[in-house]
Amino acid sequence: MMQRDVHLKPEDLLKSLQFKEGDFGKIALVSGQVQRAKTCLDYLEKPVKNFTFLGYTFWTGFYKGKRITVGNGGFYAPDSAFVTELLCGAGVEVLVRLGSCGALREDISIGDFIVADKVLRGDGATRYYVDDDFLPSVDKEITKHLVDIFSSAGKVHTGGVWTTDALFRETKEIVNSYIEKGAIAVDMVTSPFVTIANLYKRAVVAVLVVSDNLITGELGFTDFKLFQAQEKMVKTAFKLIEKINV
């Protein structure tokens, strides 16, 4: 029988990766796709690779005098929970998600931006961390900056983001129940990202680019508008960094 309280802590794994305290910046831009994370490198001075582990890679460099960490933090709830806890354990104080999502309103188009002001937990990973009635919360001040800054980059919608684990079980009964709770978008990451940041008392926000629309049935995964919006999202996120004081 297991006698230890926990098998592995974030600090244990970081130490095994030869990570040292202070290797990360205080602000992290976290993407699901590694390509999006690599785009962030174009804006960093003197980026250094911190580590690569299980397909996740993080770099730290400088942007206008601030040390910034960028990397790919998971596609789904379980790996997002795992990587987010590593980031928090490594001393990151502000976490910004640069993600993608499906829209839950007919008037939201491919390439639009969603800024989360509410998070609806439909994933399984966060149940290992918090009770079912726990309500994740984003940082209000930084979220306001997100809305203001991204309004210059494209059309911005602010509202609830629902996280699910089951892409092919987004049935109308389930989807409509979350729309009634205030969701305007759905993804597979934001809930653990925000929940775990809350537990570590870190400032956290999320901005997502729309890749598809569950109401109209539109799929934009290969649409050029999506790729353009992703590039704008990265560029605009660095403007946000100028507003964050840590």
Side-chain angles (χ1 to χ4, degrees):
M1 300 293 286
M2 181 174 170
Q3 300 299 320
R4 300 182 304 276
D5 289 337
V6 62
H7 167 55
L8 189 65
K9 296 179 180 179
E11 295 78 8
D12 298 330
L13 184 53
L14 287 166
K15 185 177 180 180
S16 75
L17 297 172
Q18 299 183 343
F19 180 91
K20 300 184 295 298
E21 184 178 352
D23 280 356
F24 276 178
K26 297 299 183 183
I27 302 172
L29 301 180
V30 187
S31 304
Q33 298 178 2
V34 68
Q35 299 95 322
R36 195 179 300 147
K38 286 182 176 179
T39 301
C40 293
L41 295 177
D42 295 338
Y43 298 88
L44 291 183
E45 297 178 6
K46 302 178 181 178
V48 174
K49 183 185 289 188
N50 300 113
F51 62 77
T52 296
F53 180 68
L54 295 177
Y56 311 107
T57 303
F58 281 87
W59 301 263
T60 297
F62 292 87
Y63 178 76
K64 296 192 174 182
K66 295 181 179 180
R67 292 186 73 240
I68 307 298
T69 295
V70 302
N72 59 313
F75 276 112
Y76 315 108
D79 58 338
S80 296
F82 161 71
V83 178
T84 302
E85 194 157 9
L86 281 182
L87 290 169
C88 291
V92 174
E93 294 182 6
V94 181
L95 294 94
V96 180
R97 169 161 157 69
L98 307 179
S100 59
C101 65
L104 299 179
R105 272 193 353 217
E106 192 172 358
D107 65 312
I108 301 177
S109 303
I110 305 299
D112 285 359
F113 297 110
I114 303 290
V115 173
D117 67 1
K118 180 179 181 180
V119 180
L120 301 165
R121 295 169 49 223
D123 65 289
T126 53
R127 292 180 178 177
Y128 288 88
Y129 290 87
V130 294
D131 295 333
D132 287 346
D133 60 355
F134 180 85
L135 300 175
S137 60
V138 295
D139 185 279
K140 292 182 179 179
E141 182 178 354
I142 301 177
T143 294
K144 185 179 183 301
H145 288 316
L146 266 182
V147 174
D148 293 342
I149 293 169
F150 270 82
S151 293
S152 65
K155 192 169 184 180
V156 177
H157 309 270
T158 305
V161 174
W162 157 48
T163 296
T164 181
D165 289 336
L167 178 64
F168 296 123
R169 288 297 179 267
E170 293 172 340
T171 63
K172 64 181 181 181
E173 292 81 10
I174 296 173
V175 170
N176 289 338
S177 71
Y178 281 96
I179 291 175
E180 290 172 356
K181 295 174 183 176
I184 66 169
V186 57
D187 77 348
M188 305 183 78
V189 170
T190 300
S191 170
F193 183 75
V194 175
T195 298
I196 291 169
N198 288 169
L199 293 181
Y200 278 84
K201 301 187 185 306
R202 304 298 197 253
V204 59
V205 294
V207 57
L208 318 172
V209 62
V210 175
S211 60
D212 56 300
N213 190 307
L214 281 68
I215 308 305
T216 65
E218 186 177 9
L219 300 177
F221 301 113
T222 59
D223 194 316
F224 187 64
K225 290 185 293 185
L226 174 61
F227 298 120
Q228 282 186 316
Q230 289 183 118
E231 291 181 357
K232 286 183 180 179
M233 178 168 61
V234 171
K235 181 179 181 180
T236 308
F238 278 91
K239 294 181 180 179
L240 172 70
I241 287 172
E242 299 173 28
K243 299 286 187 178
I244 300 174
N245 296 314
V246 289

